[in-house]
Amino acid sequence: MQDLRYARASSVAEAARLLADGGPTARVLAGGTDVIVQARERTRQITLFVDIKGIPEAVDLRAANGEGLTLGAATPCHQIYGDAAVTSSYPALIDAASLIGGTAIQGRASFGGNLCNSSPAADGVPPLIALGASALIAGPGGERRVPVARFTTGPGQNVLEEGEFVVALEVPAPAPASGARFLRFIPRNEMDIAVVNVASSLRFDGGEVVEACVVVGAAAPTALVVEAAGEALVGSPLSEESIAAAAAAARDAVRPIDDMRGSIRQRRHLAGVLTERTLRDAARRARGEEVVSHP
Amino acid sequence: MVAPAKKPYRVVGSRPVRPDGTDKVTGRANYGADIRLPGMLYGRVLRSPHAHARIVRIDAAKALALPGVKAVITQADFPAAEDAITDLGETASNLKWLVDNVLASDRALYHGHAVAALAATDPHVAEDALALIEVEYEELPPVLSVHEAMAEGAPRVHPNMHTVEMLARFSPGPRSEHDIPNAASHLRLEIGDLDQGFAEAEVVIEREYETGTAHQGYIEPHNGTALWNESGELTVWLSTQGPFMMRDQLARVLKLPVSKIRVIPMEIGGGFGGKIPVYMEPMAAVLSKKTGRPVKMIMQRDEVLFGTGPTSATYVRVKLGAKRDGTLTAAEAYLAYEAGAYPGSPVGAGGMCMFSPYSVPNQRADCYDVIVNKPKVSAYRAPGAPAGSFAMESTLDELAEQLDIDPLELRQRNAAVDGTRRIDGAAFQSIGNEAVMRAAAESPHWNSELQGENRGRGIAMGYWGNGGLESSAYATVNRDGTVGLVLGSVDIGGQRAALAMQIAETLGIDYEQVKPIVVDTDSIGFTAVTGGSRTTFATGWAVHEAGLEIRRELEARAARIWEVDASLVHYDDDGVIRGPEDRSFTFREIAGQLHRTGGTVQGKADVMPEGTGPAFACHIVDVEVDPDTAKVEVLRYTAIQDVGTAIHPDYVEGQIQGGAVQGIGMALTEEYVYDDQGRLRNASLLDYRMPTTLDVPQIDTILVEEPNPGHPYGVRGVGEVPIVPPLAAVANAIHQATGVRTRRLPASPRVLLEELLPEE
Amino acid sequence: MSSRIIISTEINGEPAEFLSDERDSLLEALRDRLGLMGTKEGCNNGNCGACAVLLDGRLVNACLVMAAEVEGSQVTTVEGLAEQDRLIPVQETFLERGALQCGICTPGFLVAAHALLQEHPRPTEEQVRYWLAGNLCRCTGYDKIITAVLDAAERADAPSG
């Protein structure tokens, strides 16, 4: 572990001040499941941890009826999938929350931390994008909101300016007749980084798809919204043909790399497979059928 | 499921709670890393970032200037090492290589090779100081596979090395007439007339196979704490499978008499063969000598993966000849195993084991031990056997398909039986091979119907010879009727229980009356490693002998108390000593009188038993392969094994289940991934993928108990053979599910997908 | 140079105050500062579960918590599972079922299983496997561990006496 200091913030303003004072090597400590490893392995220079778990807004979990979901940036996965309202209204988030690491990782890991770590393979990011979520950012210049789809700018890089941090994530309330699903592919059944992951969301009106979003992770420098997949789906009922077209669009859109976790060909192929599977499940959820996230 | 034991035992075959159990479920058991000594320093190791490099210069000045840093060492701080072979029980090693592997001399030969070590007052300071040691390297081209290494004109990792012709396993002979680059040795095993065997064959099939590098994966990292005191006496606390082996290696590396070294084995968190060689222990010793303080060293997980010995990546070619009725007439194999940076791969065992479940009159195996720029391999559970058997059992499966014979039926037709000669010429005696195959044929699993799409069932056999070697034991009768049992065998998975049970049986007393303890190298006679499936067998024999001595002594004592001739007194198997006129003592009764009638009674034994019983296993596995992602799910698994007498069936089953799951890992997800510069890319338990609870089903076991006539309780070793069959069993199941023959393991989704997808 | 901080917390039901390095993980603090050696280090990276503890009742890996974070919290380690001189059911069933071989992963498994049984008193085999997937065991192949946890659930359920 590199030499560093620890500070606990109890308000948004205090955290912003600590981060600003700490300079570019100050890092927010939410669940710590990525940053503590980075500090220990010295893969990122960190001189100060600013713990935001003492800030009420950062550990919030509010799913008010019809008003959407507010998820504190540091709210741990285990708390999220234990929440009945989130489970029933935002099952695609549960899909991700229940497969990030094992149970002990889920006791700490958060969507906010996952987003700010800005890994191309982040499991929390595609479902947030598919659900149209925004990040509430606080900093020296006050607050701003950035859609999650525009938050990550490259591997390990994002829109946060010095002194800024993500306080919470805001997910709009699900529209009627809509559904979303997140799946990832890993060689084991737990404790792995995604080779590819995909989140899809669908909204139907009178049997026709009126909104569709397919997001592929681990297959480009950042999670990729496959616009052409959405276009292939919207305007007609969901069919084998439209699903296949969306999968083909996903395969075309991805720009994967070859690394020890997966090959280019494998990732391209899996992007198609998972697009098909998530779309079928999203449609089931839109119809009110149960699609289980985890045992 | 357990077949009825051959003899009615009182204690053997029951399932008592282990003596060390309570401490292990409450967190009180002391493992190697748990030791804390006053004034203790913390040591760390600096490792090579290159797979092959000349070490031009090491400058520790800045590190030594950091407050809290007490000493930095390099190999120059060790006594100079000469060449000489030393026996490590499961593998052999030259002293110069042993020392160079501990700390590199002029060249780093693999990514992670230790080049310097230091000790500091605080673990954080020690870690900070590592970055301050300056090492100048001159990178050299690495050799990264057996094919590269053995190619004509390949760069030689050891320029002066010449291929040695082995006379037998572990017996080096003269220089070979056919020198092959980087091939440290060649061993030919042969019986019969191979040419004639293939001439008799009606079908000949030849196939090639490869396996990746796999690590033992014990959850406890290597550790060692050393104190070299002012009188020149060295004490080392650590987790090791073999305290005496550790003492011997330390004595040789440090040029100390063994009497100056005391090795104290702490509880050990897994080994599987990997916790036998020295790594940091000599560094901790020298750092302690330099500083006058105890030095504790613990490896980080990445150091365990790139700095200790995994098992070999392998290439195996196998050629079988058979009659149309399936009778095998000839079996030939070429095996090249990666040794890592220094000789010593288990390739001989690969050649020795792969054909052994079968009666084949004409056999040959050519075994090459090949140097590459990777960590020097170490023993790993049935070292060398899984890869060879993967090749043989896959090819047999293909032969069965070609001949349209049921794969188990084909194996049964060729089964080795008592009297069958192995490839080394020895004839089997009292083996349970056929009984294992029969139990498999009759098993619920084999007789169930496999239903569902994309599913397949595979079967494979495995063989392992098991070990004997030296063991000591020492037992004392306490006045309360209990027996203190002193052991030199480290308990890595329930051995204290299995050994206490055997002496309880011998003495006719209850298991609870025996109090076993594992002691240090000053407190018991030489005892070889806990490994080689030898402990319950050989140390079991020692405790039995110690028990018999107690019986004789107690008979004599009773005779004296009763004032009768000793020949009229008999210690019966129920633990009652009977004399004339219905006189008798229970064990407790006579124990209570000992100190008033001549003093304590002790039994001791040192044994080196010969009659090891070989082990055979048959595994059956059902898999489902996702046709879209090529991911393999293991749905059902049954392991059938001849275990001899199962002393403690829970721990016998546990060995089989654990071995099977390690084999499944080798078959599906585990392997070292190197870049083209020879840097290990997946040195973490995130990316070195060992099976989790979600990756395997319950592992059903069927214990076939064919008692080993070479042991008083019929014990055969059980620990190693279960890792042998899974590789081929899984590969054969994948074939049935998909039609694809996976000839390279692990059958990762990435590799298997290439087979399933249409060619681009 | 490292700096030292004083941390006040509650460990296994007892108040604890200790001097820690500011860069200590909870795992390092438990072992090196407090001498609570029951919590084991297997990977120091959150990938093996050997250091599992409860932090304010929630299952976490002690290697992925900074010691400074536990100021004012409650920590439960394997040493705190047994009630006075009585093992809890899952400790008993681990012993009776031979669910440990080398025992190094056992503390982590027990803490994780304890957390599971508090949240799901009657888990299915699938739930047990899901909950324990972050805990690696290399000796047992998991079979007897799963059985022991399922047995413990039944035992805890059975009427006492």
Side-chain angles (χ1 to χ4, degrees), chain A residues 1 42 188 259 261 265 269, chain B residues 127-128 628 687 690 758:
Chain A
M1 179 68 70
R42 303 181 186 229
R188 286 186 290 188
D259 68 8
R261 291 181 179 135
R265 191 181 189 206
H269 173 77
Chain B
E127 188 190 310
D128 288 345
D628 296 326
D687 288 312
M690 308 199 293

Side-chain angles (χ1 to χ4, degrees), chain B residues 90-91 213-220 222 241 269-277 279 301 304-312 346 375-384 492 658-659 661-663 665-666 670-672 685 688 690-691 723, chain C residues 136-139:
Chain B
E90 293 188 4
T91 51
T213 303
H215 196 272
Q216 297 82 353
Y218 31 79
I219 303 303
E220 178 201 41
H222 290 255
Q241 291 175 249
F272 314 106
K275 285 191 186 146
I276 298 172
Y279 294 109
R301 176 54 59 177
V304 173
L305 288 165
F306 55 48
T308 71
T311 195
S312 305
K376 183 203 177 317
V377 302
S378 169
Y380 177 18
R381 203 169 202 152
I492 205 163
V661 169
Q662 284 183 318
M666 287 169 101
E670 293 181 35
E671 71 177 319
Y672 277 28
L685 295 185
Y688 182 80
M690 308 199 293
I723 201 174
Chain C
L136 291 175
C137 170
R138 194 59 161 173
C139 294

Side-chain angles (χ1 to χ4, degrees), chain B residues 279-349:
Chain B
Y279 294 109
M280 303 171 303
E281 302 83 359
M283 297 189 239
V286 171
L287 286 166
S288 175
K289 188 181 185 189
K290 272 199 149 185
T291 58
R293 292 167 67 168
V295 175
K296 176 176 180 174
M297 299 182 82
I298 302 173
M299 282 194 197
Q300 294 293 300
R301 176 54 59 177
D302 58 350
E303 296 182 274
V304 173
L305 288 165
F306 55 48
T308 71
T311 195
S312 305
T314 70
Y315 167 80
V316 181
R317 191 169 66 235
V318 63
K319 184 177 172 185
L320 298 179
K323 300 278 195 190
R324 294 227 164 269
D325 67 358
T327 308
L328 293 169
T329 60
E332 183 183 11
Y334 170 100
L335 306 93
Y337 281 23
E338 290 182 4
Y342 304 97
S345 79
V347 66

Side-chain angles (χ1 to χ4, degrees), chain B residues 101-277:
Chain B
N101 194 39
V102 169
L103 260 176
S105 48
D106 59 331
R107 280 184 304 147
L109 295 185
Y110 53 92
H111 175 212
H113 198 165
V115 298
L118 57 80
T121 50
D122 178 280
H124 297 300
V125 174
E127 188 190 310
D128 288 345
L130 280 184
L132 299 175
I133 301 176
E134 292 173 4
V135 185
E136 188 183 326
Y137 295 98
E138 178 193 327
E139 281 188 70
L140 300 168
V143 174
L144 298 172
S145 72
V146 294
H147 306 297
E148 258 178 61
M150 296 171 85
E152 211 170 307
R156 290 178 183 246
V157 177
H158 298 286
N160 300 323
M161 182 178 281
H162 195 99
T163 309
V164 165
E165 202 58 46
M166 301 293 284
L167 304 173
R169 283 173 67 200
F170 312 121
S171 299
R175 284 185 164 203
S176 173
E177 289 168 19
H178 309 285
D179 185 48
I180 298 171
N182 298 305
S185 67
H186 166 245
L187 166 70
R188 171 166 288 186
L189 297 163
E190 187 166 29
I191 53 167
D193 181 337
L194 198 70
D195 292 339
Q196 195 191 324
F198 280 115
E200 288 169 13
E202 293 164 335
V203 188
V204 173
I205 180 168
E206 184 171 11
R207 296 288 182 260
E208 296 176 288
Y209 302 87
E210 291 187 338
T211 60
T213 303
H215 196 272
Q216 297 82 353
Y218 31 79
I219 303 303
E220 178 201 41
H222 290 255
N223 56 73
T225 301
L227 174 59
W228 196 318
N229 77 6
E230 293 73 4
S231 315
E233 291 157 336
L234 173 64
T235 307
V236 178
W237 296 258
L238 81 167
S239 304
T240 177
Q241 291 175 249
F244 288 90
M245 286 301 172
M246 182 55 62
R247 185 180 70 171
D248 286 356
Q249 292 174 83
L250 283 166
R252 304 196 61 171
V253 172
L254 301 171
K255 297 245 158 76
L256 281 177
V258 292
S259 57
K260 289 282 190 187
I261 304 171
R262 180 175 172 217
V263 174
I264 302 179
M266 309 292 288
E267 296 296 339
I268 176 170
F272 314 106
K275 285 191 186 146
I276 298 172

